[in-house]
Amino acid sequence: MTNQLVPQPLSGLLVADFSRILAGPYCTMTLADLGADVIKVERPEGDDTRAWGPPFVDDESTYYLGVNRNKRSIVLDLRDDDDLQTARTLAEHADVLVENFRPGTMARFGLDEPTIRRANPALVYCSISAFGPGAGRQLAGYDLLVQALGGLMSVTGPDSDTPTKAGVALVDVLAGLFATVGILAALRERDRSGRGQHVEINLMSTLLSALANQSASYVLAHQVPHAMGNGHISIAPYDTYATGDGKIVLAVGNDKQFGQLCNALGISALAGDRRFITNELRVRNRAPLREHLERALASNSALYWTKLLPALGIPAGAVNNIAEAFAFAEQLGLQPIQNTEDGDNRLGRQVASPITLSATPVSYRTRAPLLGEHSTDIRSWLAGLPFATKRTSGSAGRLGFLELWRRGLALAAQCVCWHSWL
C-alpha cells in the first residue's frame, strides 16, 4: 500500500488524456502510477476498449480496466460548442496532453499542438500515430497491421511460411512506453527552458527500433532475418527442447554455461566437440546440437529438468501459461498483483507496475473510472479557470471561417471523423 505522505515523482502534474485503446492509455496510466493527475477525455460512446470483450467484470471490459487505473473520466462531445470549450480549457491548463487520433483530427477542433501552444507555451504535447504525420497519415493503424507491415510477423512463428503475430498488442505497448520516455524527457527540458515541445511517436518507427538485433542484421549486414520458431538467430542452444515428458526452454548465452549444461545432462564430452566449442559454431551446427541435447533430455521429464538445471545456474525453465507465470512471480516475491486503494476488490485488482522506486514508489490509488464518472466535478473545476480564446457563438467565430474551410477540406480528404477515433 502506498504511503500517501510520500510525494510521488509526478505529483502536481496535470495530464489531459485524449487517447484511447492501448498505446496512449498505457502511456498515461504509467504517468498516473507515478502520481500525475490524469483526466481521461472520452466521447459519449466511451473508449473503444470498453466494449472489447469478453471477458468482462461487472460489465466492464478487462481490456479497458487493465490500462486505465488512477485516472478520472469526463465525457465530452467535441461537436458540441460547450464541450469543445471545456476541452480547450483543459488543454490550455494541462502540463501534458496525449492524443492518438489520426494526424489532422485534433486540428479540426482547434486542439492541435500549434493552436494550444499559443495559449499554453509550457505544454508537453504528445501525438501517437500509426505511420507518422507524412505519407502514412491516412492509414488506419491497428497493432496487427503494424506487426505485418513492420516486419515483426516475418520473424515470428514456426517458419518463414507461417507469419505469426505476437500474442499481445506488443507494438502498442512499446509505443506507449516510448511516449512516456519522450514526455519525461520533454518535461526535464521544460524544467530548464520553461517551454514545452511536441513529442511525436509512431507505431511503425517504434517497431523498427524495437526489432533491435533483427533490424541491425538488415541495416548493418544487409541480411533479411526470417522466422525460426523459438530459436535465436545468433545464439545456440537458445530454444524450446523436447524432454521425456514435455518441453523446456534453454537459454545458454556463453561457453561456460554450455559446459555446465553438458555436465548436468551427462554428456560432458559434447562441450569439447569441435562443432560446438564456441557459440558461433553452435549456431552453425544447431541441428546436430539439438539432436544431442534432446537425446540426453529424453531421460527425464520437463519438471525434473526445470528443477535441476536452474539450481545449477543454468538458464532453463518451464513454458508457463499466464496463470503459471503469475504463480511463479508470486514464488519469487515479486507481488505481481496489486489492489487499488479505493477498496474496489473486483475492478481494482491490477497487474503491478514493473517500476520500483525506493523513495517515491508508484501508487494504485483508484480502479479505472466508469464512463464519465467524474464529469460533474471536472466540469465544475474547469468552469472556474480562464479560457484563453474568446468564446463566440458557433465554430466559425472561434476558429475563423477560412481556417474552418481549410481544415474541413483536409479532413474530408482524409475521411476522418470524431466518431471513428482512428
Side-chain angles (χ1 to χ4, degrees):
M1 192 66 70
T2 304
N3 183 353
Q4 295 297 330
L5 298 179
V6 178
Q8 290 188 271
L10 302 183
S11 293
L13 200 74
L14 177 62
V15 177
D17 182 5
F18 285 84
S19 69
R20 77 283 181 217
I21 304 181
L22 183 53
Y26 197 89
C27 165
T28 55
M29 182 179 72
T30 302
L31 299 175
D33 287 351
L34 295 169
D37 178 12
V38 176
I39 295 180
K40 183 177 180 65
V41 178
E42 299 188 71
R43 60 190 177 127
E45 298 88 345
D47 189 312
D48 298 49
T49 60
R50 289 183 181 273
W52 286 9
F56 294 95
V57 177
D58 292 348
D59 297 324
E60 294 290 334
S61 161
T62 58
Y63 198 124
Y64 165 78
L65 293 171
V67 290
N68 286 289
R69 65 172 174 253
N70 290 332
K71 304 177 186 180
R72 296 187 287 160
S73 170
I74 181 173
V75 170
L76 295 176
D77 184 347
L78 300 189
R79 297 163 297 188
D80 176 85
D81 286 346
D82 290 334
D83 279 7
L84 180 56
Q85 179 176 323
T86 299
R88 288 285 304 275
T89 302
L90 173 61
E92 290 178 0
H93 290 83
D95 296 287
V96 176
L97 186 150
V98 179
E99 59 92 8
N100 59 351
F101 291 103
R102 280 186 185 176
T105 302
M106 291 291 270
R108 176 184 179 186
F109 302 103
L111 292 167
D112 53 302
E113 189 267 341
T115 300
I116 298 301
R117 181 153 319 282
R118 289 195 288 270
N120 187 358
L123 177 68
V124 172
Y125 191 111
C126 179
S127 298
I128 304 173
S129 65
F131 301 103
R137 63 188 289 126
Q138 296 186 42
L139 300 176
Y142 284 94
D143 187 273
L144 174 63
L145 181 61
V146 179
Q147 287 197 33
L149 293 173
L152 178 58
M153 291 177 64
S154 76
V155 296
T156 307
D159 53 58
S160 57
D161 294 326
T162 315
T164 306
K165 75 176 183 68
V168 70
L170 185 63
V171 186
D172 272 333
V173 172
L174 291 170
L177 293 175
F178 276 116
T180 303
V181 172
I183 288 169
L184 294 178
L187 288 170
R188 180 68 181 97
E189 168 58 25
R190 190 180 76 167
D191 289 342
R192 287 193 287 258
S193 68
R195 294 190 62 83
Q197 59 185 293
H198 195 182
V199 178
E200 294 184 271
I201 303 291
N202 71 78
L203 273 63
M204 185 69 178
S205 298
T206 291
L207 177 53
L208 294 178
S209 174
L211 285 171
N213 61 297
Q214 300 283 41
S215 289
S217 295
Y218 169 70
V219 172
L220 295 172
H222 306 291
Q223 294 183 6
V224 180
H226 62 274
M228 48 190 303
N230 296 317
H232 194 291
I233 190 174
S234 303
I235 308 173
Y238 198 98
D239 207 332
T240 51
Y241 296 87
T243 71
D245 179 17
K247 292 186 177 182
I248 66 168
V249 164
L250 297 176
V252 176
N254 57 54
D255 297 339
K256 178 181 177 181
Q257 291 174 350
F258 181 63
Q260 292 172 325
L261 173 65
C262 293
N263 290 336
L265 296 180
I267 49 175
S268 301
L270 195 68
D273 189 309
R274 61 183 178 81
R275 295 172 297 173
F276 310 128
I277 55 176
T278 68
N279 177 70
E280 181 180 355
L281 291 170
R282 292 193 292 274
V283 169
R284 295 183 184 279
N285 296 285
R286 66 173 75 238
L289 176 62
R290 173 180 289 277
E291 292 178 8
H292 284 285
L293 293 178
E294 292 192 331
R295 189 179 303 121
L297 289 166
S299 65
N300 239 307
S301 68
L303 180 61
Y304 172 84
W305 294 119
T306 54
K307 287 184 177 180
L308 175 67
L309 297 179
L312 298 174
I314 300 164
V319 181
N320 288 333
N321 61 31
I322 300 297
E324 291 165 338
F326 272 89
F328 180 63
E330 289 279 7
Q331 293 172 14
L332 299 178
L334 298 179
Q335 299 181 317
I337 299 175
Q338 297 287 333
N339 290 313
T340 55
E341 298 166 9
D342 55 10
D344 193 324
N345 294 327
R346 285 179 58 80
L347 302 185
R349 186 171 166 84
Q350 293 285 301
V351 180
S353 168
I355 301 172
T356 299
L357 299 175
S358 61
T360 55
V362 302
S363 66
Y364 307 89
R365 301 182 300 280
T366 60
R367 54 156 173 75
L370 304 179
L371 179 60
E373 181 174 356
H374 308 95
S375 289
T376 300
D377 289 343
I378 296 171
R379 286 178 182 276
S380 177
W381 169 63
L382 290 174
L385 297 178
F387 180 59
T389 304
K390 182 180 179 181
R391 181 183 181 186
T392 60
S393 59
S395 298
R398 257 198 316 280
L399 297 177
F401 176 77
L402 290 177
E403 177 65 8
L404 274 175
W405 178 75
R406 182 188 66 79
R407 292 177 179 177
L409 286 179
L411 284 162
Q414 296 170 34
C415 297
V416 173
C417 67
W418 166 256
H419 182 75
S420 72
W421 281 72
L422 287 169

